[in-house]
Structures are given as structure tokens and as C-alpha cells.
Amino acid sequence: MSKFFLLAFFCTLTALQNAKGLAALAGDINDSNDGTNYAYRLPDSTEPVSYDLQITPDIENRSFHGQVDIVVKAKQYTTEVILNSKDLILTSAPCFQDIKTNRSMAIKDYAFDDRLERLVVKLERSILPSRLYKFTVAFSGILRDDYTGFHKYFYDSGNYSRWIALTQFKPIYARRAFPCYDEPKFKTPYTISIARLNHHSALSNMPLKNSEIHSEDGWMWDHFKTTKPIPTYLVAFMVSDFDKNYINGDNIAMHTRKEYIEYTTYMMGKAPNLLKGVEKFTRIPYMLPKLDLVGVPLLNAYSMENWGLNSYEEFYVTLSEDSQTEDKIQGSMIVLHEILHQWFGNMVTTPWWDHAWFNEGMCNYLNYYITSIIEPDWDLDESFVENVHQYALSWDEYDDTHPLTFAVSTPNDIENAFDIITIDKSAAMFRMLKCVVGEEIFRTSVNKYLNDFAYTEAEPINLWQTFDNVLYDANYVIEDGVTVVKYMDSWTEQPGYPVITVRSTSNGSVVASQKRFSLSYPSLGTNDEKWLVGLTYTTETEMDFDELTPSVWLKPTDDHAVLKVPENFGWIIVNIQSTGFYRVSYDEKNWKLLLIQLITNPDRIHVLNRAQIIDDAYHLCRAELVPYDYYTSLLEYLLMEDHVMPWNTAINGLSSIMDAIRRYPTEYSKFKKYTQGLASILYDKLSENRMQNATTKIGWSRLLTWTCKMGNSRCAQSASRHFDAWMKGHQIPSEMEEATLCAGMKKGNVAALSKIYKLYKTTRSPSQKEIILRALACTNNVQSHFSQLNLIRLDKADSGSLQTFKTICDNLVTTSAGVRGLAGYMAQLLNSIKSSPILDNLQKYIAVAYAALAPKVATDDEMFVMDTIKPSGLSIEINITVSKIHQTIESNLLWMERDHEKIIRAIEM
């Protein structure tokens, strides 16, 4: 599954508690020494062989009922059959039957274990190993409205409402729809039948086999062909009155509501190429007879990779040639991500959620890789480094982060396993591995792995061993003592990453050493972690930025490694194109040589390395590994920089300092003036159209908005003129849209606000909605922030609107007025929130708001408000999470207390 709706909540929480998720929060029984809570795992006494599932949704009564026949194989003598079930009612006593003899086995008792989310069936006598039994159970449940399990929702269509009912079973929500063995290791065939009214249609994982009408009630029953072996989380079905768009002879179809079906033509043209791109990379044809892509009419809907039935937010399957490039990029990659999962996760499945990162990371990396081949003008190599690689580094730089592979046991653990470490760091790992072994061996190894483990379960070790076998057959040795198993284990089994320190010695050689990088202050780490690091590098005399295969290896047992360089080599740059997941620090001489090169002719250094140098320098300053004047001196070269990416990287660091240094008004004023000087340089470049960006000025727009927010008068005047013209009916240039709407919010008059709010309500573009939500933060009227937040009604809060609330909060806190507005809003509502009947969802909203505020609060009055709204009396998960977030506030305060004077001295030098 892509970054689905749970991620908006859990990633927010995890980011600011430095990425432990909530892995240690729930469960206190039968814990092993490694932290695994085996009580939540199903016992190994029985396993499913096949399912025959019949479901009838009753939308008028907001419920469903059904029956499931599970063929069960006993693996040992047992009198108990235990499977998962949650929030279901058995409408008749379960039946247990020996298939060979057709004899029924008496059931002594059955009961639900709500805490462990189980149905426990006790038999009068023991069942026999290797024998097959049919377990039959009839059940009913409520069609949920939290977008999990079998759920429904209504949507407006003209003057009336319509509904759809569909499934979302990942990671552990199938048990909310039917009793089942709800663990990914149990892969079995499913035969699914869905009842519906005549004017509706049903979809499932496989094509329709036949339909029949039940004469007694008039319901139409759709019977679908039997699936390949799949885990429960990939079972899917839906009932709706959607229309279908397809091309004769093609196995891909798009489904969406009738009024938008004609707009699916653009993506219908893209989807087959995306599917072929995956087939070409894997060298394995798509394995099912059909692939349905469903557009769900809900903003911020999740995307889901159900085998043969992928679901997406409706907007992304109804794009057109005229859609904004940003929407087309995002739409193509969202569709491709779920297509990739048909191979990675669906065909080959990891047996448990402690390796949730494995398939997510592969799909995330290949998403960029394959799309860049299909759409080379989109500059996705650069986007990957900025949006995935650098982002993951910033998440993984604290002492209490978690490794990629970590124990998950409880339902809370599993739901929280999907964070930036899981999704983005893992993708960076696969890119790093590809550069180590080369593209052809990477593809060959992945192909062999998929073929060897097709339709079964596999763990990361199986892929690493496959790589080692392919390397052996090719007579390719990475390095003495270096195998893919050892290499990847060093990166996936321990948290964090290293900083590589590069220095010249008195005898003219260059050596590199490593230690764990940390921004925790004060540090809690032991610095015992070491990695198997492949180093790539080039020098001023060589200028080779294309060789991405490591030439030197720094092993955990090495004190240092020697980098071979020519005589009089000039500067050296380590980590070519940011392929390695580490930061690099140099000695003073090399920093100065790099600065001279950047100031005189920056294009001689690859753009990814220019961005890397800025990003590393900022974080190294925060870690007290280099002085701040190294960073501020590097920023002077931006006068020569005409590429979007290094500017975006620089702005990230500058914005973080701006947020924290507000605690010191004098220093804040000086630093803001310094930053405004950079913004003025940037605006000159933008207005003269000197910035290079192939993706039709997507990066341009963000940079332009920043220059306006920094108070650049020319930018503000231009945006204001565009807004006045828009109020009179003229179009806003796409690259000016956010800055223009921001200018309108600053005007603050009723007519301006009314038109902006109307645009928010009527636009179908998620990217445009995001732009409007970001623009809302531009008002200086704190009271206005309260009305903006009322776009989300917290008395009706649900998971579907959580992402929108998060977007509002994240953008409100970009200004000091917004910080005060959001903090005051939460303080005002806290008492009513605590007494709300929908407290479970609202706790997530509290945590999201608190997490947005945490890295931004700086002044004593803001700290006072944060202490006031610090929740109490809520769930243990939220309380612990908020306490961790509060530690981030204290860490930032300590950082700025230590460094605010150093920063000002650096900009005044």
C-alpha cells in the first residue's frame, strides 16, 4: 500500500518522537527478550487451505452479513481452532466437518477474545494432523465509516447522495469483515460471491464467473473466479453504481462514478505503459487476467494494491492532458506504486509485518526508477534525492530511531509499522544496493527472486541470498569479505546511519572513518554502531560524477579506509550523486576548496552533490561537527546557483533555524534580514527566468512562494497584482498560484476570503487544494485561523479528514501568528474534545496538532500554551506519543540556547 491515510497520522507522530512509531506502547503479556509479544500471533496448530466467502451488504441498515467456509488443515493434534475476528457477530453456531468422511465434529464452545481480536472454537475431540476440515461460520457486522474493513460512505452527486461499499484490509482489517487467519503468511485461494441490487455492480480480485438472481429476495449474486493464493489483506470487493472504461483487448479497466468516467481517458492511456514498464523491469508478465483501477470519490482517500483491484483517490484516474504537471506526476506514480505491488507484496509476500519496509521500499524506489524511464523529462532522479533520500536522512538522525527490521506484535504495533523509515529509508537502501551491484545484476537478481518465490512467502534474507548467488554465477566479487547478506544486514538490522569523516594526512594520503551521526541533544547514544559502507568519490582532477559503484569499502572492523587519489588532486567529494545513505564531513582545507569551486563554477559539481554538500553542512553544524561559518559561507555560492534543487535544500535548513531562533528576538531579526537577502537573490533569478527546472516550474512555484513569505517587496507586489486580476476573472499563472493566493489571504477582506474558500470547495485538484490550504497560513489575523480550522469539524472528525487537518496545521505553523492561533485553538477545544463521543479519532487530531506545533514553538508564551494543551487522561498511546513530542520541543530549545550566538556570528563574518 502506498502512503495511505494512516500514514498521515502515524508518520506525524513518529517523526517528532524520532521514529520509534508506537512499537513499544501496547501489550504487556508474554513478552520475549527480543520484545516480541507472541500472544497476538495465531498459534501454529492449524492453517487455512482455501476460503469460500459470501457477503451481502445491506446499505440501508448500514450492515452486512455473510458466510465463510474455510478449509482448514490441522498441523498437530488440537482441540482448538483459533482465528482472527473483530467487531463481528456470529448469527449461527459454527460448524466443523471432516472433509474426507463428511462427518461433523461436535463443537464444545466458542467465544470471542476482544483483546487479542480472536474467535476461539473448542472442539469435543482432537482433530488430526494433515487432515482437512471445513469450518463454516455465518456472521454479521456493521458497515464501518472509518475506512477500514468492509466500509461505506456517501458522496454527493448532483442533487442527491449515492454510496459505495468497499474493502480496506491492509494491514489487519480483514478480521473486521469475516473471521479469518489474518496474518500475511497464510496465503490461500479465495472464491468470493457478492450480493447486490440489480442497478449496482460488484467487483472483486478476479473476473466475474457468472451471476444469478435469487428468486426469494430478488438479489443478484455475482460469483467470481477463484483467486491465486493471497493473504487476507489483499482480499477485495466493492459494490457501487460506477461506470467502466476499458480498451477492447486490454486487461486494464477504470471504474469511477458516471459523471467522471469520460475523464479517465488520459490515465487509460498511461496505465498500460506503466504496467508494461513493470513487466519489462521484472521480466515477468502480469499474472492475473484483469486489473481494475477504481477511482474513489473521496479527497485524501488511500491507495491500495489489492491483487487485481487497485483503488485510488478519484482525481488521479480522471486527469487530462491539460492537468497540471504536478498532478500528472503524482497521479502516474500513485497508479504505478500499486501496480508494482502486484509483484512485490502480492505475488511474493513477507510472512509478518516486522518486514513491512521490504516491499514498500522496493515499490517506492522502483516507482521513481521506472517512471523516470517512461517520463525522462520529469527529473525524478533529482526528486528522489530531495523527497525521499534527504527526507529519510532527516528522520533517522536521532538516537531513539528504529531499525528497518524491528519487532511488531500487537495490532497497534502493526498499524504503526508504516512510517518514513519504513517507506523512504527502505527505498534509499534499494537505490544504494543497485549502485553497489550494478543495474543488470540488480534486475537479474530481482527477477530470480520473484520467480523462485512466486505465490509464496519470502523474507529480505531470501532476496539478499539471491543477489549473492547471481553475483557468484557472474563471477562478480563486490569486495573481499563483502556479501549482499552482510551488507544489507548492516543497514537494515540497526538504526541510524554514519557520518563519514574524510581528511588528508601529513603524508598526502586521504583517509575516511565512520561513526553514528546524531542530532539528539543531549546525545543518548553509545556510538557503538558501525556499518559496511561502500564509498564513491571523485576529485577536482578527475571530475567523474557518473561512476556510482563503490571503489573503497569501510568495514565495521576498520578504523579507517584509504582513498586513492592522484597527486595534486584538488578537492575531493565523497558520496557521488548521494547514492550512499550517510553524511560526509571534510577537513577545513577541503571545505574551503569546495567553497571556491562552488563560488567560481558550481556546474563542475553534479547538482545532486551540490545539494548534498548544503544539506550535510547544515546538519553537521547542528551536530557540532563543523562550525556554522562553513554553512553560511557555502550559502554565498547560491548567487551562482540556477538550479531548483540546491535552493530547496538550503531553504529547508534556513527555515528550521528561523523557527527555532525566534526565541531570541535580536538574533531572530538579524537572521531574518540575512535570509531576506538570499530571498532577494532568488527572486531576481526567478523573475529573470534563469532557474532550471524541466518539470514546468513545479520547484519554481515553491521557491517563489518562499521569497514572498520572506517579505520580498517585489514578489509581494507582483502576487498582489495577480490576485487583483484573479478577482476580476483573469487566470493566475501556475507558478504564481500559491504566492498569489497567499497575497489574497493577507488582504483579508471578505470578498477575497470568500472567493478563496469557494475555490477550495469546488476544485477537484488535490494539488490545488494543498496550495489553498498552504495559502491559508498567510493571514496575520489570528482569529482567522480559527475559522480556517473550522473547515474541519472536530465534532465529526474521522480518519478521512485527518490529512486535511494535518495540512492546515503544518501550514499554519509556518508563521508565528499561526503558531499562536493553532495553540490557542487546541487549548480552547481541549475540554470539549475530552468529553467527545468520538474520542478515539479526536485523539489523533490532538496529536497531529501537537506534532505540528512542536518543532515551531520557541517563545515562553508559546511554551506555556503547549504545557496547557498537553493532553492528559487520554489513551496511553497518545499520552506517550505526546510526551515524546514534548521532548523534541526541549531538544530544540537546548539546541538554540547552545547555538544562537554562533549562528549570528557566522552570518556577520
Side-chain angles (χ1 to χ4, degrees):
M1 182 164 36
S2 64
K3 298 176 184 179
F4 54 105
F5 72 91
L6 283 175
L7 190 59
F9 166 52
F10 295 120
C11 283
T12 302
L13 307 189
T14 309
L16 289 160
Q17 60 175 306
N18 302 330
K20 275 197 173 178
L22 302 176
L25 301 184
D28 57 0
I29 61 170
N30 295 347
D31 293 327
S32 67
N33 290 332
D34 65 1
T36 303
N37 191 328
Y38 290 104
Y40 285 90
R41 300 283 295 270
L42 292 175
D44 200 33
S45 52
T46 63
E47 65 181 6
V49 176
S50 67
Y51 290 77
D52 191 331
L53 176 63
Q54 302 170 47
I55 291 282
T56 302
D58 183 356
I59 194 67
E60 289 187 3
N61 294 310
R62 304 192 176 195
S63 64
F64 64 89
H65 61 270
Q67 177 177 304
V68 63
D69 298 326
I70 309 175
V71 175
V72 174
K73 181 171 75 173
K75 299 179 70 176
Q76 62 188 46
Y77 293 97
T78 182
T79 57
E80 284 189 339
V81 177
I82 301 176
L83 57 165
N84 294 114
S85 181
K86 180 177 174 61
D87 299 335
L88 296 174
I89 299 171
L90 299 195
T91 55
S92 65
C95 173
F96 210 78
Q97 183 181 38
D98 181 282
I99 290 180
K100 183 176 181 179
T101 63
N102 286 327
R103 291 201 299 263
S104 294
M105 299 194 66
I107 293 178
K108 182 178 180 180
D109 189 21
Y110 64 90
F112 290 103
D113 185 331
D114 293 335
R115 188 174 65 85
L116 297 181
E117 301 184 355
R118 288 177 176 178
L119 170 62
V120 179
V121 179
K122 296 185 178 182
L123 305 172
E124 290 285 1
R125 56 182 294 186
S126 179
I127 56 177
L128 307 178
S130 300
R131 205 169 184 93
L132 299 181
Y133 302 87
K134 184 170 75 171
F135 174 67
T136 300
V137 58
F139 55 89
S140 65
I142 299 299
L143 277 173
R144 306 177 70 93
D145 56 10
D146 62 356
Y147 312 105
T148 70
F150 191 25
H151 63 277
K152 55 85 179 71
Y153 63 84
F154 294 88
Y155 61 93
D156 292 331
S157 180
N159 295 323
Y160 60 97
S161 294
R162 285 148 62 180
W163 60 268
I164 62 174
L166 70 161
T167 57
Q168 167 58 44
F169 290 164
K170 188 175 183 178
I172 51 170
Y173 304 138
R175 65 189 67 177
R176 302 180 180 190
F178 61 99
C180 57
Y181 291 77
D182 199 12
E183 294 183 7
K185 71 177 182 180
F186 297 115
K187 298 182 71 170
T188 59
Y190 282 77
T191 303
I192 297 172
S193 298
I194 307 295
R196 60 176 174 84
L197 298 176
N198 193 48
H199 64 283
H200 288 140
S201 62
L203 293 172
S204 189
N205 302 91
M206 294 296 287
L208 184 67
K209 181 179 180 181
N210 66 282
S211 299
E212 61 175 339
I213 297 178
H214 281 198
S215 56
E216 63 272 18
D217 56 18
W219 282 76
M220 178 72 73
W221 277 87
D222 288 336
H223 305 289
F224 296 91
K225 294 180 180 179
T226 302
T227 72
K228 292 178 179 293
I230 59 176
T232 51
Y233 78 85
L234 293 176
V235 174
F237 42 86
M238 69 173 291
V239 178
S240 71
D241 60 355
F242 282 5
D243 272 3
K244 174 181 178 181
N245 186 5
Y246 67 99
I247 300 173
N248 286 332
D250 206 337
N251 61 344
I252 298 180
M254 295 223 171
H255 305 259
T256 190
R257 47 178 157 166
K258 301 177 188 297
E259 56 264 40
Y260 288 130
I261 196 67
E262 62 181 288
Y263 299 113
T264 59
T265 303
Y266 173 81
M267 196 52 76
M268 275 299 300
K270 287 285 185 185
N273 291 332
L274 298 174
L275 181 64
K276 289 174 185 175
V278 184
E279 291 177 323
K280 183 176 180 181
F281 175 82
T282 61
R283 302 180 180 120
I284 298 174
Y286 178 59
M287 59 296 293
L288 297 186
K290 63 92 175 175
L291 177 59
D292 288 315
L293 310 180
V294 178
V296 181
L298 174 70
L299 185 67
N300 299 320
Y302 47 78
S303 299
M304 181 58 203
E305 70 267 19
N306 306 303
W307 215 350
L309 180 60
N310 291 356
S311 61
Y312 305 94
E313 203 283 313
E314 175 185 75
F315 176 80
Y316 293 115
V317 299
T318 57
L319 296 167
S320 70
E321 287 286 355
D322 296 330
S323 296
Q324 294 183 12
T325 301
E326 186 170 8
D327 288 333
K328 291 194 283 189
I329 292 173
Q330 192 170 2
S332 295
M333 295 186 70
I334 286 173
V335 170
L336 178 57
H337 186 101
E338 310 311 337
I339 290 176
L340 279 160
H341 268 302
Q342 309 303 296
W343 284 259
F344 302 97
N346 297 11
M347 189 174 81
V348 183
T349 308
T350 51
W352 187 242
W353 299 108
D354 51 358
H355 293 130
W357 62 270
F358 185 58
N359 291 307
E360 289 300 330
M362 180 67 83
C363 292
N364 194 10
Y365 170 59
L366 291 180
N367 199 359
Y368 281 84
Y369 176 80
I370 293 174
T371 307
S372 69
I373 295 173
I374 297 172
E375 301 285 355
D377 291 338
W378 284 353
D379 288 341
L380 290 180
D381 289 340
E382 295 176 18
S383 295
F384 182 91
V385 171
E386 181 178 350
N387 299 328
V388 178
H389 178 88
Q390 288 184 358
Y391 192 38
L393 284 172
S394 68
W395 268 64
D396 202 27
E397 60 191 3
Y398 294 92
D399 291 342
D400 60 351
T401 187
H402 68 76
L404 282 169
T405 298
F406 67 102
V408 295
S409 305
T410 71
N412 272 333
D413 291 349
I414 296 166
E415 290 175 336
N416 294 315
F418 297 88
D419 62 9
I420 296 302
I421 303 296
T422 298
I423 294 171
D424 285 346
K425 180 180 179 179
S426 57
M429 294 298 101
F430 283 111
R431 175 174 177 258
M432 186 168 68
L433 175 60
K434 190 204 74 173
C435 293
V436 168
V437 301
E439 185 169 328
E440 186 55 35
I441 284 179
F442 185 84
R443 293 179 64 175
T444 300
S445 301
V446 170
N447 170 262
K448 178 173 170 54
Y449 160 81
L450 290 172
N451 279 299
D452 288 351
F453 295 95
Y455 310 109
T456 62
E457 308 83 48
E459 298 183 335
I461 185 66
N462 300 120
L463 178 58
W464 313 150
Q465 290 174 343
T466 300
F467 268 93
D468 283 330
N469 276 280
V470 171
L471 288 167
Y472 181 83
D473 291 341
N475 198 27
Y476 183 110
V477 178
I478 298 175
E479 169 79 0
D480 287 343
V482 176
T483 64
V484 172
V485 170
K486 291 181 180 178
Y487 179 58
M488 295 307 292
D489 279 355
S490 81
W491 289 96
T492 63
E493 301 295 326
Q494 60 183 350
Y497 58 86
V499 54
I500 306 300
T501 300
V502 179
R503 58 183 178 86
S504 297
T505 64
S506 56
N507 62 10
S509 64
V510 176
V511 297
S513 58
Q514 65 165 301
K515 69 174 182 177
R516 181 174 177 178
F517 182 77
S518 174
L519 282 192
S520 291
Y521 184 68
S523 178
L524 306 174
T526 62
N527 292 323
D528 290 336
E529 298 90 347
K530 292 290 180 67
W531 289 261
L532 190 51
V533 185
L535 299 176
T536 56
Y537 62 96
T538 191
T539 64
E540 186 175 2
T541 58
E542 295 163 314
M543 297 290 294
D544 182 2
F545 286 95
D546 296 322
E547 181 52 68
L548 305 182
T549 303
S551 56
V552 172
W553 285 84
L554 181 58
K555 301 177 182 178
T557 55
D558 295 335
D559 289 331
H560 64 270
V562 177
L563 309 184
K564 296 180 180 179
V565 294
E567 290 187 31
N568 302 316
F569 60 86
W571 48 254
I572 186 171
I573 291 177
V574 175
N575 200 10
I576 301 304
Q577 295 190 36
S578 287
T579 52
F581 198 73
Y582 51 83
R583 300 197 184 279
V584 185
S585 182
Y586 303 100
D587 56 31
E588 182 180 6
K589 178 183 176 182
N590 200 69
W591 281 115
K592 290 181 177 178
L593 290 173
L594 290 175
L595 175 60
I596 292 170
Q597 180 65 78
L598 289 170
I599 290 175
T600 56
N601 188 356
D603 288 339
R604 294 191 70 198
I605 296 176
H606 195 284
V607 64
L608 294 181
N609 285 106
R610 302 202 300 268
Q612 172 216 359
I613 289 168
I614 293 174
D615 192 48
D616 284 352
Y618 166 68
H619 288 86
L620 292 168
C621 290
R622 285 199 56 177
E624 294 189 287
L625 296 177
V626 299
Y628 277 97
D629 60 285
Y630 284 21
Y631 176 59
T632 55
S633 297
L634 282 171
L635 293 182
E636 293 177 11
Y637 109 85
L638 292 173
L639 182 65
M640 302 291 294
E641 182 58 76
D642 292 334
H643 198 288
V644 168
M645 186 184 173
W647 272 101
N648 273 330
T649 301
I651 287 169
N652 289 337
L654 290 168
S655 298
S656 295
I657 295 174
M658 287 278 288
D659 290 335
I661 208 169
R662 282 192 305 109
R663 183 169 180 81
Y664 303 93
T666 301
E667 287 79 0
Y668 172 71
S669 178
K670 292 179 180 180
F671 192 79
K672 184 175 182 180
K673 185 176 180 180
Y674 167 80
T675 308
Q676 286 173 331
L678 292 173
S680 181
I681 293 170
L682 177 58
Y683 184 76
D684 288 341
K685 293 175 178 290
L686 294 169
S687 60
E688 295 168 13
N689 202 29
R690 286 157 49 194
M691 299 298 291
Q692 304 166 10
N693 187 37
T695 53
T696 61
K697 302 182 180 178
I698 292 173
W700 235 59
S701 174
R702 294 168 185 166
L703 294 177
L704 194 61
T705 300
W706 180 76
T707 62
C708 286
K709 285 187 175 181
M710 287 306 304
N712 182 275
S713 58
R714 289 173 295 157
C715 182
Q717 290 167 7
S718 175
S720 182
R721 287 194 300 270
H722 281 296
F723 185 80
D724 291 340
W726 180 65
M727 291 293 290
K728 296 175 182 178
H730 296 280
Q731 292 293 316
I732 305 173
S734 59
E735 68 272 16
M736 283 291 298
E737 186 170 29
E738 185 174 343
T740 298
L741 295 177
C742 180
M745 287 301 303
K746 287 182 178 179
K747 289 177 182 293
N749 61 67
V750 174
L753 297 179
S754 177
K755 188 165 183 178
I756 293 173
Y757 289 149
K758 183 178 180 181
L759 178 62
Y760 177 82
K761 293 295 187 182
T762 57
T763 183
R764 293 185 58 248
S765 166
S767 63
Q768 190 172 52
K769 282 187 180 288
E770 290 276 332
I771 285 171
I772 297 167
L773 290 174
R774 291 196 294 267
L776 293 179
C778 295
T779 178
N780 292 317
N781 183 344
V782 175
Q783 187 60 41
S784 177
H785 291 314
F786 297 149
S787 63
Q788 293 158 29
L789 284 168
N790 283 331
L791 288 171
I792 306 300
R793 294 202 39 201
L794 294 187
D795 59 331
K796 294 185 177 180
D798 57 42
S799 299
S801 57
L802 184 61
Q803 178 62 43
T804 305
F805 182 79
K806 178 182 182 297
T807 302
I808 293 174
C809 293
D810 288 346
N811 288 288
L812 283 178
V813 298
T814 59
T815 66
S816 56
V819 170
R820 293 192 300 272
L822 179 57
Y825 179 81
M826 297 309 296
Q828 183 181 17
L829 290 184
L830 193 59
N831 288 333
S832 60
I833 286 173
K834 287 181 180 179
S835 61
S836 169
I838 52 171
L839 180 60
D840 286 347
N841 274 330
L842 285 172
Q843 290 182 87
K844 299 174 185 178
Y845 279 73
I846 296 169
V848 163
Y850 204 84
L853 286 164
K856 305 292 183 177
V857 297
T859 65
D860 287 337
D861 60 326
E862 291 165 358
M863 285 294 299
F864 176 78
V865 173
M866 289 296 280
D867 287 335
T868 301
I869 68 172
K870 188 175 181 180
S872 61
L874 303 179
S875 71
I876 183 173
E877 293 90 350
I878 299 299
N879 273 326
I880 294 178
T881 298
V882 168
S883 294
K884 296 288 287 184
I885 293 171
H886 204 75
Q887 292 176 21
T888 300
I889 300 173
E890 295 171 355
S891 179
N892 278 342
L893 293 175
L894 289 172
W895 161 49
M896 197 45 58
E897 181 181 359
R898 183 195 71 193
D899 287 357
H900 67 281
E901 293 178 349
K902 298 178 186 177
I903 292 169
I904 299 306
R905 284 198 298 270
I907 65 174
E908 292 178 339
M909 290 180 67

